[in-house]
């Protein structure tokens, strides 16, 4: 090798942090710590994607998952104040199932990477590095709005349906809720609230009388 | 062979570090004097003096040494760790607050060539970095193990997530007109003169972007995260000394960042407002320079202070209503208007 394997070093560093924090997500006791480790996992995953020259996806992963989804996640986890002990019991009980699923997934990955199909030359060719002027974002946009317009729109509609459903589930009329109507508040005029009455002044004796 | 490479790598790294210092150092000084300016400006608006005593060697100098006195005071004070706090996260939170505020400056172009990292997805990177700042606040609130701090953190989290959406849509309007995510490219697309800048075709987005920026930085009138009157000081109520100073630094660095970004995205960045005026031609006033960027950013920095001196604090439900029910629909409609303007050729890139 003629140059410093800087890229490999960075890759292994981020992959290691990613895997370690992913393991911590499921093993750590405190749910807030678990959420924070999940954030670290997303962040390092974004860094690995960056190494794959998928800078658009990497930054969007940070913006959407780290910047918005996980904030709300943390919000909920911190608010709930979860009792940890019952969660630990579940962990032991479901461990065999979890290990089985993990094993199956690992086996599938190994089969994809080192299976018979690997013998087919050029199945996973190393892509050539992009030219300096190449914009990942532009490419993603062009493909999404031309070739893959229909799947893209369908995904959008499905998300919209999910969003409407989620809002409908939480939007229910509860009795006794005091809500304000800002436009009514703004419309209020002085005449509706204040009445000036002229009355004769009272003598000091009357005031003391009470 | 490897030995030939190592010095190059180290030289490159050293060069990058020098560039980073060249951005961070003036910014820190700017933050220090921004706090001074804030106190003086608000003092002036409220008909009082503001800090005007702390000088150097017996000269008062209108209190110009005040920021340094404040910094040294904060650095020398004890950092108190609350008994039942989470020590690690408690100290990590200020760092998480300041790191994104500084990191975002990597892609800010100061003029045609003065930029640390001229990356294609610059605007996305800015969006990613500004969205990370909220973690400092949330973690600080939770790790303090104090109900006031926690309430402040929850308020801030909901507020920042809400206003980020309006902010993102305002940026989409800029993207539609400029056709690039690169910040230098966005400024180039506005060249031509004061009426070719994006503030005119994107006037609603311009206003919404800046107001959302004020909300994102938790500044008055959106400062419910620290609302002194009900939750003492919000998320940083348990912080003292240098740890508090770092939060302070992050807040002001974010304000300066939002000001510079507004200037870059909507007021033509470093471009001169007199560009194309025949009399001025190539003179200092006619050509774009870093001074124009500073001048335009100062307008918004002053606005931050002006808003704080003028408006009472928003009520929390009103903040949410403004973000979701007012700003969001307006931005979505105006993105469509911007797309129409771009398609019909009403706004032409690069004047």
């Amino acid at each position: 090798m003629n140059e410093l394997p800087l890229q490999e070093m960075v890759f292994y560093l981020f992959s290691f942090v990613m895997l370690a924090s992913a393991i911590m997500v499921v093993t750590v006791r405190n749910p807030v710590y678990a959420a924070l480790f999940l954030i670290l996992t997303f962040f390092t995953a974004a860094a690995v994607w960056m190494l794959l020259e998928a800078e658009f996806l990497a930054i969007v992963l940070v913006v959407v998952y780290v910047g918005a989804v996980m904030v709300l996640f943390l919000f909920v986890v911190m608010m709930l104040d979860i009792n940890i002990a019952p969660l630990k019991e579940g962990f032991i009980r479901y461990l065999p199932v979890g290990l089985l699923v993990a094993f199956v997934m690992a086996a599938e990955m190994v089969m994809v990477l080192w299976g018979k199909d690997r013998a087919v030359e050029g199945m996973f060719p190393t892509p050539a590095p992009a030219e300096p002027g190449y914009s990942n974002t532009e490419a993603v946009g062009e493909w999404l709005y031309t070739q893959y317009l229909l799947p893209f729109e369908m995904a959008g509609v499905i998300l919209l349906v999910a969003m409407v459903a989620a809002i409908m589930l939480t939007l229910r009329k509860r009795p006794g809720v005091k809500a304000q109507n800002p436009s009514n508040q703004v419309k209020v005029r002085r005449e509706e609230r204040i009445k000036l009455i002229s009355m004769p002044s009272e003598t000091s004796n009357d005031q003391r009388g009470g | 062979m490897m030995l030939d490479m190592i010095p190059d790598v180290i030289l490159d790294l050293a060069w990058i570090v020098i560039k980073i210092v060249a951005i961070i150092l003036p910014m820190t000084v700017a933050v220090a004097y921004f706090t001074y300016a804030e106190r003086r400006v608000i003092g002036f608006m409220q008909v009082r003096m503001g800090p005007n005593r702390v000088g150097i060697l017996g000269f008062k100098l209108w209190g110009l040494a005040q920021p340094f006195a404040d910094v040294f005071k904060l650095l020398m004070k004890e950092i108190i760790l609350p008994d039942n706090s989470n020590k690690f996260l408690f100290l990590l939170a200020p760092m998480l607050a300041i790191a994104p505020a500084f990191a975002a400056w990597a892609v800010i172009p100061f003029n045609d060539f003065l930029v640390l990292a001229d990356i294609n997805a610059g605007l996305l990177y800015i969006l990613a970095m500004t969205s990370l700042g909220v973690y400092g606040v949330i973690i600080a609130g939770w790790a303090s193990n104090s109900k006031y701090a926690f309430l402040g953190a929850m308020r801030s989290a909901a507020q920042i997530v809400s206003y980020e959406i309006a902010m993102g849509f305002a940026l989409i309007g800029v993207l539609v007109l400029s056709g690039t995510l690169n910040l230098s490219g966005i400024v180039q697309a506005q060249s031509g003169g004061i009426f070719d800048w994006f503030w005119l075709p994107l006037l609603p987005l311009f206003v919404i972007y800046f107001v959302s920026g004020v909300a994102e930085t938790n500044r008055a009138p959106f400062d419910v995260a620290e609302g002194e009157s009900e939750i003492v000081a919000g998320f940083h109520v348990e912080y003292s000394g240098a740890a508090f100073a770092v939060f302070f630094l992050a807040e002001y660095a974010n304000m300066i960042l939002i000001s510079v970004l507004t200037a870059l995205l909507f007021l033509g960045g470093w471009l001169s407002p007199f560009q194309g005026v025949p009399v001025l031609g190539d003179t200092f006033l006619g050509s774009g320079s870093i001074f124009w960027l500073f001048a335009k950013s100062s307008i918004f920095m002053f606005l931050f202070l002006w808003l704080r001196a003028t408006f009472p604090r928003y009520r929390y439900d009103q903040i949410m209503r403004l973000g979701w029910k007012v700003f969001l629909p307006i931005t979505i409609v105006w993105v469509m208007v911007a797309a129409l303007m771009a398609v019909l050729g009403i706004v032409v890139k690069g004047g």
Side-chain angles (χ1 to χ4, degrees):
Chain A
M1 261 209 161
N2 284 344
E3 49 190 283
L4 260 181
L6 193 66
Q7 220 172 349
E8 278 91 31
M9 277 159 55
V10 174
F11 172 77
Y12 283 116
L13 175 72
F14 281 120
S15 314
F16 173 74
V17 175
M18 181 166 74
L19 290 176
S21 51
I23 290 168
M24 293 299 271
V25 171
V26 286
T27 52
V28 84
R29 279 159 172 260
N30 192 329
V32 173
Y33 275 170
L36 290 174
F37 273 117
L38 192 54
I39 293 166
L40 188 61
T41 314
F42 281 137
F43 205 83
T44 43
V48 172
W49 286 6
M50 198 77 96
L51 284 177
L52 288 172
E53 297 186 7
E55 65 266 8
F56 177 74
L57 286 178
I59 297 179
V60 166
L61 182 71
V62 173
V63 171
V64 175
Y65 279 90
V66 180
V69 174
M70 287 313 295
V71 173
L72 298 178
F73 223 89
L74 257 186
F75 193 100
V76 174
V77 168
M78 285 177 177
M79 290 278 278
L80 285 181
D81 196 18
I82 300 166
N83 196 3
I84 301 150
L87 285 178
K88 282 299 281 183
E89 290 168 20
F91 182 76
I92 303 294
R93 191 158 11 116
Y94 296 123
L95 191 62
V97 185
L99 282 179
L100 187 71
V101 173
F103 177 76
V104 169
M105 285 189 71
E108 278 177 350
M109 275 191 235
V110 169
M111 275 160 72
V112 168
L113 289 176
W114 281 293
K116 276 185 210 156
D117 293 345
R118 186 75 175 122
V120 182
E121 203 56 41
M123 192 186 172
F124 297 108
T126 314
E131 293 123 52
Y134 177 80
S135 169
N136 201 287
T137 319
E138 223 173 289
V140 170
E142 264 190 44
W143 283 103
L144 273 188
Y145 286 101
T146 53
Q147 181 89 30
Y148 298 108
L149 183 63
L150 190 64
F152 179 64
E153 299 268 316
M154 273 159 67
V157 171
I158 290 170
L159 282 175
L160 183 69
V161 170
M163 200 165 80
V164 171
I167 292 172
M168 278 314 293
L169 281 177
T170 52
L171 194 74
R172 58 183 192 274
K173 278 266 179 283
R174 273 169 294 186
V177 174
K178 286 176 183 166
Q180 282 154 331
N181 187 342
S183 50
N184 282 353
Q185 287 180 321
V186 173
K187 268 188 235 148
V188 165
R189 289 287 156 264
R190 181 172 175 272
E191 293 78 44
E192 299 165 25
R193 295 285 171 94
I194 297 178
K195 201 164 99 186
L196 292 179
I197 332 166
S198 60
M199 55 183 287
S201 60
E202 296 169 35
T203 59
S204 54
N205 282 338
D206 291 336
Q207 282 173 2
R208 223 178 291 143
Chain B
M1 288 300 248
M2 269 183 99
L3 283 172
D4 291 344
M5 288 303 296
I6 292 168
D8 261 10
V9 170
I10 290 171
L11 270 183
D12 280 357
L13 278 180
W15 182 229
I16 291 173
V17 168
I18 290 170
K19 284 200 266 190
I20 290 172
V21 171
I23 292 176
I24 298 281
L25 215 59
M27 228 240 323
T28 316
V29 175
V31 165
Y33 276 96
F34 195 20
T35 62
Y36 171 76
E38 171 168 44
R39 296 168 68 183
R40 291 292 284 192
V41 166
I42 294 179
F44 172 75
M45 287 178 178
Q46 296 170 345
V47 203
R48 48 189 178 81
M49 294 310 283
N52 67 347
R53 294 289 153 193
V54 184
I56 303 158
L57 302 172
F59 297 99
K60 280 179 191 162
L61 297 172
W62 314 280
L64 272 175
Q66 181 74 45
F68 293 101
D70 289 343
V71 166
F72 288 127
K73 182 200 78 173
L74 283 171
L75 288 182
M76 280 185 251
K77 279 175 88 168
E78 181 190 359
I79 299 177
I80 298 165
L81 295 170
D83 261 350
N84 287 322
S85 67
N86 189 317
K87 305 284 185 299
F88 175 69
L89 290 180
F90 188 80
L91 292 177
L92 184 74
M95 295 175 217
L96 284 181
I98 192 114
F102 278 166
W105 284 86
V107 296
I108 299 279
F110 295 98
N111 61 24
D112 310 21
F113 50 89
L114 218 58
V115 50
L116 179 60
D118 194 14
I119 60 173
N120 271 330
L123 203 56
L124 266 178
Y125 172 81
I126 293 269
L127 208 58
M129 283 303 135
T130 49
S131 67
L132 289 183
V134 63
Y135 282 111
V137 175
I138 302 184
I139 293 175
W142 187 76
S144 300
N145 200 12
S146 147
K147 57 184 146 230
Y148 296 122
F150 188 60
L151 279 173
M154 291 292 109
R155 287 178 177 198
S156 165
Q159 178 183 330
I160 291 181
V161 169
S162 308
Y163 278 84
E164 220 166 62
I165 299 169
M167 219 171 176
F169 269 109
L171 294 182
I172 289 176
V174 175
L175 294 187
V176 167
L177 289 193
S178 66
T180 174
L181 279 166
N182 182 301
L183 282 164
S184 305
I186 289 171
V187 173
Q188 303 291 351
Q190 302 180 55
S191 67
I194 193 160
F195 294 110
D196 288 303
W197 299 347
F198 287 156
W199 67 272
L200 191 58
L202 298 177
L203 193 59
L205 298 187
F206 168 49
V207 175
I208 286 175
Y209 183 80
F210 184 68
V211 176
S212 303
V214 177
E216 284 270 290
T217 46
N218 284 327
R219 289 288 298 182
F222 299 99
D223 58 344
V224 289
E226 40 193 288
E228 298 89 345
S229 48
E230 64 259 41
I231 50 172
V232 198
F235 62 93
H236 57 56
V237 65
E238 304 290 345
Y239 282 86
S240 61
F244 171 75
V246 171
F247 270 121
F248 206 70
L249 190 63
E251 179 179 335
Y252 283 77
N254 272 325
M255 282 160 69
I256 299 179
L257 180 72
I258 294 288
S259 306
V260 171
L261 276 176
T262 317
L264 281 172
L265 298 172
F266 295 97
L267 285 192
W270 62 80
L271 299 171
S272 159
F274 307 114
Q275 195 181 10
V277 175
V279 188
L280 293 164
D282 279 344
T283 57
F284 175 71
L285 278 177
S287 54
S289 69
I290 192 167
F291 296 103
W292 285 117
L293 180 64
F294 287 158
K296 291 167 186 173
S297 314
S298 331
I299 298 173
F300 296 110
M301 284 159 68
F302 180 77
L303 259 176
F304 267 104
L305 310 182
W306 194 2
L307 290 177
R308 180 173 168 194
T310 311
F311 292 119
R313 188 172 295 132
Y314 253 111
R315 213 174 58 205
Y316 193 70
D317 61 316
Q318 289 172 334
I319 290 184
M320 284 300 159
R321 182 175 164 272
L322 184 71
W324 288 100
K325 293 188 178 172
V326 180
F327 281 180
L328 198 56
I330 295 178
T331 47
I332 292 175
V333 168
W334 209 263
V335 165
M336 290 176 194
V337 174
L340 274 179
M341 284 194 284
V343 169
L344 299 177
I346 296 170
V347 179
V348 185
K349 257 191 281 181

